[in-house]
């Protein structure tokens, strides 16, 4: 069973069958999914979205998985976050996707950091990566707000050149020490 992770504004939880319409707003939007290809394509309709959510639930193996991001104040699903295995290695990638109406409010970094912290503190994950298209300035800024360090370019994942960001367990401890000293 997937854990539920709470932040000040968000509830990060397992996807439900009742989330299909909200998920389609996110993953049926080509402005969102253009950054996810080739790992994931635009979802064309409710049936395809339902099948995708069911497929995620069937294939997720902890700590990897897909979660819905819900606004605590309204109960509305505004996005998704994921921990994904990067093949052929067993590296873990953290990813985030938000409905366009939720862009610009800091929800992606809040959800991404919460998932990173959960994975490192509760699932013994030592490091996470984010793969970002060189043209995706928003995702790069989000990775850095989460505390991820840019470590260069790579073409070893998804057969395309991507910027690689990394967050290590010790980086979280360092960030925690810095914020408590302020």
């Amino acid at each position: 069973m997937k854990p539920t992770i709470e932040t000040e504004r968000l509830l990060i939880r397992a996807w439900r069958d009742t989330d299909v319409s909200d998920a389609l707003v996110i993953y049926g939007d080509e402005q969102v999914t253009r950054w996810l290809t080739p790992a994931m394509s635009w979802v064309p309709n409710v049936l395809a979205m339902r099948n995708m959510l069911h497929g995620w639930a069937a294939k997720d193996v902890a700590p990897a998985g897909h979660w819905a991001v819900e606004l605590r104040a309204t109960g509305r699903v505004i996005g998704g976050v994921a921990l994904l295995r990067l093949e052929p290695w067993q590296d873990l990638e953290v990813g985030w996707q938000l409905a366009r109406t939720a862009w610009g409010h800091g929800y992606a970094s809040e959800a991404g950091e919460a998932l990173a912290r959960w994975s490192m503190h509760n699932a013994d994950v030592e490091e996470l990566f984010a793969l970002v298209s060189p043209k995706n300035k928003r995702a790069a800024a989000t990775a850095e707000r989460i505390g991820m360090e840019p470590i260069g370019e790579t073409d070893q994942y998804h057969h395309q050149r991507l910027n690689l960001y990394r967050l290590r367990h010790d980086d979280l401890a360092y960030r925690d020490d810095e914020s408590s000293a302020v």
Side-chain angles (χ1 to χ4, degrees), residues 78-121:
I78 59 163
V81 289
L83 291 176
L84 306 171
R85 292 273 177 212
L86 292 168
E87 299 297 336
W89 300 271
Q90 290 302 302
D91 297 335
L92 275 175
E93 173 188 11
V94 61
W96 49 86
Q97 308 81 40
L98 294 179
R100 276 194 281 166
T101 56
W103 290 1
H105 300 282
Y107 298 135
S109 54
E110 187 174 333
E113 183 174 350
L115 186 57
R117 284 182 179 282
W118 172 83
S119 71
M120 292 181 178
H121 295 315

Side-chain angles (χ1 to χ4, degrees), residues 26 29-36 97-100 103:
I26 303 156
D29 184 339
E30 290 177 329
Q31 293 299 311
V32 174
T33 58
R34 70 185 176 132
W35 303 113
L36 305 178
Q97 308 81 40
L98 294 179
R100 276 194 281 166
W103 290 1

Side-chain angles (χ1 to χ4, degrees), residues 142-163:
T142 298
E144 290 180 15
R145 278 192 299 276
I146 290 170
M148 302 187 94
E149 172 187 15
I151 58 172
E153 291 184 339
T154 184
D155 59 3
Q156 64 183 348
Y157 307 109
H158 307 303
H159 308 292
Q160 60 181 325
R161 185 156 292 292
L162 298 165
N163 292 328

Side-chain angles (χ1 to χ4, degrees), residues 15-56:
W15 286 100
R16 301 176 187 143
D17 283 339
T18 56
D19 296 329
V20 172
S21 295
D22 290 333
L24 188 59
V25 169
I26 303 156
Y27 300 104
D29 184 339
E30 290 177 329
Q31 293 299 311
V32 174
T33 58
R34 70 185 176 132
W35 303 113
L36 305 178
T37 56
M40 183 182 160
S41 300
W42 166 78
V43 179
N45 57 48
V46 170
L47 179 59
M49 189 74 251
R50 179 175 284 109
N51 289 339
M52 181 166 288
L53 293 180
H54 287 207
W56 286 345

